């Protein structure tokens, strides 16, 4: 079976201007500006109505205007990147993923008033970017549902845990983390849930048939007795887990494999393509996959891709709070899909070109300058506000950002940025649903107004601006990690972060936000790590330091 290509393209515009080039203070002020007195002519089909109906002053803490945000398959955190920074290291570029980064940020959405249980929204931000002041035209695609998190049905679960017990799991306490997480999972199960357990190393073994957990203490004693040794046969372990689940899977249960590993195959079938194809084939049969990476030296690319291909989520755990968050708090959310087979088509207007998509790897060019995004399944997100609270930052929901590069030349309708459509099926249904909208910008393409131009989600809402700031921070972290890892240039890496840090700090002074504050602390810590690694004074920064890209 041909797999959907995982697009790993690096957008040229991101580093040659566009939405993530070099830096200027004025662009940071634009990102936080309310834009009062401007009539920028930004339009989105659902958002124009939401803005017109918004009343009252914004609250200090933004909350959902009814309904819930929606997340989708793939990374649900960027915990490995954070852990390496917190340990004093400099993370490799592969540890930073836009889907995982965005999932740790909660963004406000327009009310889900499309008439169905899944609503697509198109929002636009046009401003000078936070690194060199070049125009950034950013299309945000959001998904939400009128279903409240409290109204999620209590559907029983068929779960098969596939646990890596190979020798590498002895390193850095990985097997201990895995055992503790599984015991938390056992305690979180409901009486109607069923649990099976597959262990694998050089080979694979079913040590507990899938059945209800009538004696939790006996199951936890079984888990406590798991020892790690041998090589890592990922393929056979996953295959046995899926076969075990397939024997009992039915429509009355949520059917899912939870794969816990350091993700480094060393035995049996080690081909990444073969492993991903196997997960893809089982997902097509309705069996989903969640992957949990443990430790700071696991194979993140495989674990992340397995989740994307397997219609599931990827998490990273390296401490007790993360175990609680993943194996308990997220359990009822990542196991229940509300929609499947989702395809989003962005057809660019004739004055724009879709340069890069952020928030998923499952995208590819479409038509003459557009993009097609494939989301195997959608889930209700756990967080309901921008306050991450005691339960952590995971669960913010999925965000898709598409950089729309303005093109020179005459156009019949220069105000059309993109026509967006979505096809999908509600979970458990065969009927194909469709939604459509258009996003417009009535200023000349490539024009950045002094205060920026933004789709207003609600009165006093900053969340389109927050998305803009979030992407710029991600771009700076990515470019800094690339400079340090690929070129060994810690001084340039430091200079990139030095460029963006003051503006992020200023934005937070004006608009306090838990998520962006955590990002700011991460930037500061990584700058310290780069200095300790030998970074010097970067000197004057060129207006566009990556023009050659």
């Amino acid at each position: 079976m041909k797999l959907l290509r995982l697009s790993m393209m690096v957008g040229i515009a991101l580093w040659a201007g566009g939405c993530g080039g070099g830096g200027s203070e004025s662009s940071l002020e634009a990102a936080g500006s309310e834009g009062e007195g401007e009539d920028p002519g930004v339009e989105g089909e659902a958002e124009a109505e939401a803005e017109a109906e918004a009343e009252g002053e914004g609250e200090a803490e933004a909350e959902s205007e009814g309904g819930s945000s929606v997340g989708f398959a793939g990374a649900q955190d960027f915990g490995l990147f954070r852990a390496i920074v917190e340990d004093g290291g400099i993370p490799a570029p592969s540890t930073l993923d836009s889907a995982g980064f965005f999932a740790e940020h909660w963004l406000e959405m327009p009310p889900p008033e499309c008439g169905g249980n899944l609503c697509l929204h198109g929002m636009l931000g046009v401003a000078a970017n936070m690194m060199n002041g070049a125009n950034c035209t950013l299309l945000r695609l959001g998904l939400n549902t009128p279903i409240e998190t409290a109204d999620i049905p209590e559907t029983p679960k068929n779960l098969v845990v596939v646990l890596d017990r190979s020798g590498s799991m002895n390193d850095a306490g990985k097997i201990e983390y895995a055992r503790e997480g599984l015991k938390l999972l056992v305690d979180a199960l409901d009486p109607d849930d069923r649990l099976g357990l597959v262990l694998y190393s050089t080979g694979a073994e079913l040590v507990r048939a899938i059945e209800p957990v009538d004696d939790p203490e006996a199951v936890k004693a079984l888990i406590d007795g798991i020892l790690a040794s041998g090589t890592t046969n990922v393929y056979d372990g996953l295959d046995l887990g899926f076969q075990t689940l397939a024997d009992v899977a039915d429509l009355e249960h949520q059917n899912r494999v939870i794969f816990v590993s350091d993700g480094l195959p060393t035995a049996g079938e080690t081909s990444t393509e073969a492993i991903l194809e196997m997960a893809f084939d089982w997902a097509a049969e309705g069996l989903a996959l969640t992957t949990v990476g443990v430790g700071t030296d696991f194979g993140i690319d495989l674990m992340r891709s397995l989740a994307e291909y397997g219609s599931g989520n990827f998490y990273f755990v390296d401490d007790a709070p993360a175990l609680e968050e993943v194996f308990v708090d997220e359990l009822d959310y990542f196991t229940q899909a509300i929609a499947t087979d989702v395809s989003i088509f962005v057809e660019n207007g004739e004055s724009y070109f879709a340069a890069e998509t952020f928030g998923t790897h499952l995208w590819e060019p479409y038509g003459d300058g557009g993009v097609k995004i494939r989301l195997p399944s959608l889930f209700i997100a756990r967080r309901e506000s921008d306050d991450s609270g005691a339960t952590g930052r995971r669960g913010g929901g999925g965000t898709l950002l598409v950089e729309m590069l303005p093109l020179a030349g005459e156009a019949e309708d220069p105000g059309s940025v993109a026509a967006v459509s979505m096809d999908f099926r509600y979970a458990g249904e065969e009927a194909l649903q469709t939604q459509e909208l258009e996003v417009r910008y009535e200023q000349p393409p490539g024009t950045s107004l002094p205060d920026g131009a933004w789709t207003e989600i609600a009165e006093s809402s900053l969340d389109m601006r927050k998305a803009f700031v979030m992407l710029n921070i991600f771009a700076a972290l990515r470019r800094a990690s690339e400079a340090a890892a690929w070129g060994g240039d810690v001084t340039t890496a430091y200079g990139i972060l030095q460029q963006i840090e003051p503006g992020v700090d200023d934005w937070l002074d004006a608009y306090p936000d838990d998520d962006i504050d955590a990002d700011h602390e991460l930037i500061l810590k990584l700058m310290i790590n780069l200095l300790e690694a030998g970074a010097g004074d970067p000197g004057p920064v060129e207006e566009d330091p990556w023009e050659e890209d």
Side-chain angles (χ1 to χ4, degrees), residues 331-346:
L331 180 62
D332 285 333
Y333 298 91
F334 72 62
T335 55
Q336 302 200 49
I338 63 168
T340 61
D341 301 328
V342 182
S343 294
I344 298 176
F345 303 89
V346 178

Side-chain angles (χ1 to χ4, degrees), residues 78-101:
F78 70 115
L80 179 57
F81 186 95
R82 284 190 286 103
I84 293 172
V85 173
E86 289 164 3
D87 288 344
I90 302 172
S94 63
T95 63
L96 183 61
D97 173 79
S98 62
F101 186 80

Side-chain angles (χ1 to χ4, degrees), residues 320-381:
L323 291 173
E324 180 85 15
E325 197 174 334
V326 171
F327 285 99
V328 179
D329 297 335
E330 288 280 295
L331 180 62
D332 285 333
Y333 298 91
F334 72 62
T335 55
Q336 302 200 49
I338 63 168
T340 61
D341 301 328
V342 182
S343 294
I344 298 176
F345 303 89
V346 178
E347 297 187 52
N348 56 302
E350 57 184 323
S351 293
Y352 293 88
F353 177 87
E356 185 172 6
T357 298
F358 305 87
T360 180
H361 295 295
L362 299 178
W363 65 275
E364 57 188 337
Y366 173 75
D368 186 17
V371 66
K372 175 183 177 181
I373 302 166
R374 163 99 166 99
L375 303 173
S377 55
L378 302 178
F379 309 84
I380 292 178

